[in-house]
Amino acid sequence: MIKFINTTKRYGNTYALNNVSFDIEMGEFVFFVGASGAGKSSIMKLIYREEVATSGTVLVGRVDISQLKPDQVPKLRRRMGIVFQDFKLLPGQTVFDNVAYVLRALGVGPTETRKRVLGALKVVGLIDKVDAFVEELSGGEQQRVGIARAIVNGPSLVIADEPTGNLDPTNSMEIMNLLEQINQRGTTILISTHNHQIVNQMRKRVITMQNGELIRDVHQGVYE
Ligand SMILES: Nc1ncnc2c1ncn2[C@@H]1O[C@H](COP(=O)(O)OP(=O)(O)OP(=O)(O)O)[C@@H](O)[C@H]1O
Ligand SMILES: [Mg+2]
């Protein structure tokens, strides 16, 4: 489903990614780990085409997304849900409106929007907060809204860059369990994290980055 072939991303003289290759199948759950600056976010940004590779190939499905024209990028992103460390919710708006935003932008009608938003909020356990303003929620709840927003359009892939970076251990574990549940329904999940404890507890595929290079790729792995 996602394949990097000798992919390099350079910023000036800095190699954010240096000749990285890996292959992720549909339905996998993968952690990307490594020190700050190792290249984790760079991998994710190439997948959702926030950045373009300097050389090498980035395949998403059968499409080499380096070749996409700018007007084809929205269509690519519609197949993905993206979760951010700082949540990136719309301030001053309700939980409902935050999750509905994507669907409204796609022209989905109000009845269908309501159905899908409530469905996504049910998955993350936030139905009772549907009319709350996002500022009224705890950090863990805000990230659950972020996840509801990511899954509301039924993506085949969810990308989460440090989704628990701003959360305490209990909320972090809850978010990871939620992502695991979503994975069990068939969605491919990619997560970058610094959290050793969670990675070691969950025993998923672990891809370790160091200075822009992929140094380890282990199934049922740990964060060494
Ligand atoms: N827009 C940019 N301009 C210049 N250098 C960049 C840019 N984005 C990333 N880099 C550099 O690329 C390297 C990899 O960065 P990246 O953000 O992928 O690391 P990371 O593993 O996500 O780190 P962290 O754990 O701190 O989030 C770093 O040396 C970083 O400084
Ligand atoms: Mg990062």
PDB file of all heavy atoms in Angstrom, residues 35-42 44-45 85 161-162 192 194, ligand 2:
ATOM      1  N   ALA A  35      15.336   9.130  17.384  1.00  0.00           N
ATOM      2  CA  ALA A  35      15.589  10.389  18.096  1.00  0.00           C
ATOM      3  C   ALA A  35      15.016  11.576  17.333  1.00  0.00           C
ATOM      4  O   ALA A  35      14.672  11.469  16.153  1.00  0.00           O
ATOM      5  CB  ALA A  35      17.094  10.561  18.289  1.00  0.00           C
ATOM      6  N   SER A  36      14.936  12.694  18.002  1.00  0.00           N
ATOM      7  CA  SER A  36      14.508  13.933  17.364  1.00  0.00           C
ATOM      8  C   SER A  36      15.412  14.233  16.164  1.00  0.00           C
ATOM      9  O   SER A  36      16.627  14.118  16.257  1.00  0.00           O
ATOM     10  CB  SER A  36      14.600  15.051  18.401  1.00  0.00           C
ATOM     11  OG  SER A  36      14.114  16.234  17.859  1.00  0.00           O
ATOM     12  N   GLY A  37      14.780  14.551  15.041  1.00  0.00           N
ATOM     13  CA  GLY A  37      15.554  14.843  13.831  1.00  0.00           C
ATOM     14  C   GLY A  37      15.917  13.623  13.006  1.00  0.00           C
ATOM     15  O   GLY A  37      16.590  13.723  11.984  1.00  0.00           O
ATOM     16  N   ALA A  38      15.446  12.442  13.414  1.00  0.00           N
ATOM     17  CA  ALA A  38      15.821  11.203  12.731  1.00  0.00           C
ATOM     18  C   ALA A  38      15.149  11.044  11.364  1.00  0.00           C
ATOM     19  O   ALA A  38      15.626  10.298  10.512  1.00  0.00           O
ATOM     20  CB  ALA A  38      15.482   9.998  13.607  1.00  0.00           C
ATOM     21  N   GLY A  39      14.007  11.741  11.170  1.00  0.00           N
ATOM     22  CA  GLY A  39      13.347  11.668   9.865  1.00  0.00           C
ATOM     23  C   GLY A  39      11.919  11.138   9.898  1.00  0.00           C
ATOM     24  O   GLY A  39      11.310  10.927   8.854  1.00  0.00           O
ATOM     25  N   LYS A  40      11.360  10.960  11.084  1.00  0.00           N
ATOM     26  CA  LYS A  40      10.015  10.375  11.208  1.00  0.00           C
ATOM     27  C   LYS A  40       8.955  11.254  10.539  1.00  0.00           C
ATOM     28  O   LYS A  40       8.154  10.770   9.735  1.00  0.00           O
ATOM     29  CB  LYS A  40       9.655  10.176  12.698  1.00  0.00           C
ATOM     30  CG  LYS A  40      10.701   9.361  13.458  1.00  0.00           C
ATOM     31  CD  LYS A  40      10.340   9.199  14.926  1.00  0.00           C
ATOM     32  CE  LYS A  40      10.307  10.492  15.729  1.00  0.00           C
ATOM     33  NZ  LYS A  40      11.617  11.172  15.851  1.00  0.00           N
ATOM     34  N   SER A  41       8.942  12.526  10.897  1.00  0.00           N
ATOM     35  CA  SER A  41       7.939  13.423  10.307  1.00  0.00           C
ATOM     36  C   SER A  41       8.158  13.566   8.802  1.00  0.00           C
ATOM     37  O   SER A  41       7.192  13.690   8.044  1.00  0.00           O
ATOM     38  CB  SER A  41       7.996  14.804  10.952  1.00  0.00           C
ATOM     39  OG  SER A  41       7.644  14.721  12.311  1.00  0.00           O
ATOM     40  N   SER A  42       9.403  13.523   8.391  1.00  0.00           N
ATOM     41  CA  SER A  42       9.684  13.642   6.952  1.00  0.00           C
ATOM     42  C   SER A  42       9.026  12.502   6.180  1.00  0.00           C
ATOM     43  O   SER A  42       8.454  12.717   5.101  1.00  0.00           O
ATOM     44  CB  SER A  42      11.193  13.637   6.702  1.00  0.00           C
ATOM     45  OG  SER A  42      11.773  14.759   7.324  1.00  0.00           O
ATOM     46  N   MET A  44       6.327  10.896   7.022  1.00  0.00           N
ATOM     47  CA  MET A  44       4.877  11.125   7.000  1.00  0.00           C
ATOM     48  C   MET A  44       4.505  12.239   6.030  1.00  0.00           C
ATOM     49  O   MET A  44       3.537  12.121   5.286  1.00  0.00           O
ATOM     50  CB  MET A  44       4.405  11.432   8.404  1.00  0.00           C
ATOM     51  CG  MET A  44       4.848  10.306   9.325  1.00  0.00           C
ATOM     52  SD  MET A  44       3.843  10.102  10.759  1.00  0.00           S
ATOM     53  CE  MET A  44       4.127   8.360  11.025  1.00  0.00           C
ATOM     54  N   LYS A  45       5.303  13.301   6.034  1.00  0.00           N
ATOM     55  CA  LYS A  45       5.000  14.416   5.127  1.00  0.00           C
ATOM     56  C   LYS A  45       5.122  14.015   3.661  1.00  0.00           C
ATOM     57  O   LYS A  45       4.391  14.526   2.811  1.00  0.00           O
ATOM     58  CB  LYS A  45       5.921  15.599   5.424  1.00  0.00           C
ATOM     59  CG  LYS A  45       5.537  16.307   6.721  1.00  0.00           C
ATOM     60  CD  LYS A  45       6.500  17.423   7.038  1.00  0.00           C
ATOM     61  CE  LYS A  45       6.159  18.057   8.380  1.00  0.00           C
ATOM     62  NZ  LYS A  45       7.266  18.889   8.881  1.00  0.00           N
ATOM     63  N   GLN A  85       0.213  16.034  16.533  1.00  0.00           N
ATOM     64  CA  GLN A  85       0.583  16.140  17.947  1.00  0.00           C
ATOM     65  C   GLN A  85      -0.215  17.251  18.637  1.00  0.00           C
ATOM     66  O   GLN A  85      -0.676  17.093  19.761  1.00  0.00           O
ATOM     67  CB  GLN A  85       2.090  16.430  18.053  1.00  0.00           C
ATOM     68  CG  GLN A  85       2.536  16.710  19.472  1.00  0.00           C
ATOM     69  CD  GLN A  85       4.055  16.782  19.585  1.00  0.00           C
ATOM     70  OE1 GLN A  85       4.785  16.547  18.619  1.00  0.00           O
ATOM     71  NE2 GLN A  85       4.538  17.094  20.767  1.00  0.00           N
ATOM     72  N   ASP A 161       1.326  11.638  13.498  1.00  0.00           N
ATOM     73  CA  ASP A 161       2.692  12.073  13.812  1.00  0.00           C
ATOM     74  C   ASP A 161       2.739  12.531  15.270  1.00  0.00           C
ATOM     75  O   ASP A 161       2.201  13.573  15.607  1.00  0.00           O
ATOM     76  CB  ASP A 161       3.076  13.216  12.862  1.00  0.00           C
ATOM     77  CG  ASP A 161       4.576  13.485  12.868  1.00  0.00           C
ATOM     78  OD1 ASP A 161       5.299  12.846  13.669  1.00  0.00           O
ATOM     79  OD2 ASP A 161       5.020  14.338  12.085  1.00  0.00           O
ATOM     80  N   GLU A 162       3.339  11.727  16.118  1.00  0.00           N
ATOM     81  CA  GLU A 162       3.417  12.010  17.564  1.00  0.00           C
ATOM     82  C   GLU A 162       2.044  12.285  18.174  1.00  0.00           C
ATOM     83  O   GLU A 162       1.866  13.314  18.845  1.00  0.00           O
ATOM     84  CB  GLU A 162       4.296  13.237  17.831  1.00  0.00           C
ATOM     85  CG  GLU A 162       5.699  13.100  17.345  1.00  0.00           C
ATOM     86  CD  GLU A 162       6.628  12.525  18.401  1.00  0.00           C
ATOM     87  OE1 GLU A 162       6.160  12.205  19.516  1.00  0.00           O
ATOM     88  OE2 GLU A 162       7.810  12.369  18.090  1.00  0.00           O
ATOM     89  N   SER A 192       4.193   7.877  14.359  1.00  0.00           N
ATOM     90  CA  SER A 192       5.541   8.198  14.828  1.00  0.00           C
ATOM     91  C   SER A 192       5.453   8.508  16.309  1.00  0.00           C
ATOM     92  O   SER A 192       4.485   9.113  16.767  1.00  0.00           O
ATOM     93  CB  SER A 192       6.116   9.392  14.069  1.00  0.00           C
ATOM     94  OG  SER A 192       5.736  10.596  14.693  1.00  0.00           O
ATOM     95  N   HIS A 194       7.867   8.865  20.307  1.00  0.00           N
ATOM     96  CA  HIS A 194       9.044   8.775  21.163  1.00  0.00           C
ATOM     97  C   HIS A 194       8.778   7.865  22.353  1.00  0.00           C
ATOM     98  O   HIS A 194       9.637   7.694  23.197  1.00  0.00           O
ATOM     99  CB  HIS A 194       9.354  10.155  21.766  1.00  0.00           C
ATOM    100  CG  HIS A 194      10.059  11.059  20.831  1.00  0.00           C
ATOM    101  ND1 HIS A 194       9.522  12.241  20.397  1.00  0.00           N
ATOM    102  CD2 HIS A 194      11.268  10.953  20.234  1.00  0.00           C
ATOM    103  CE1 HIS A 194      10.379  12.823  19.576  1.00  0.00           C
ATOM    104  NE2 HIS A 194      11.434  12.068  19.460  1.00  0.00           N
TER     105      HIS A 194
HETATM  106 MG    MG B   2       8.685  14.833  13.986  1.00  0.00          MG
END
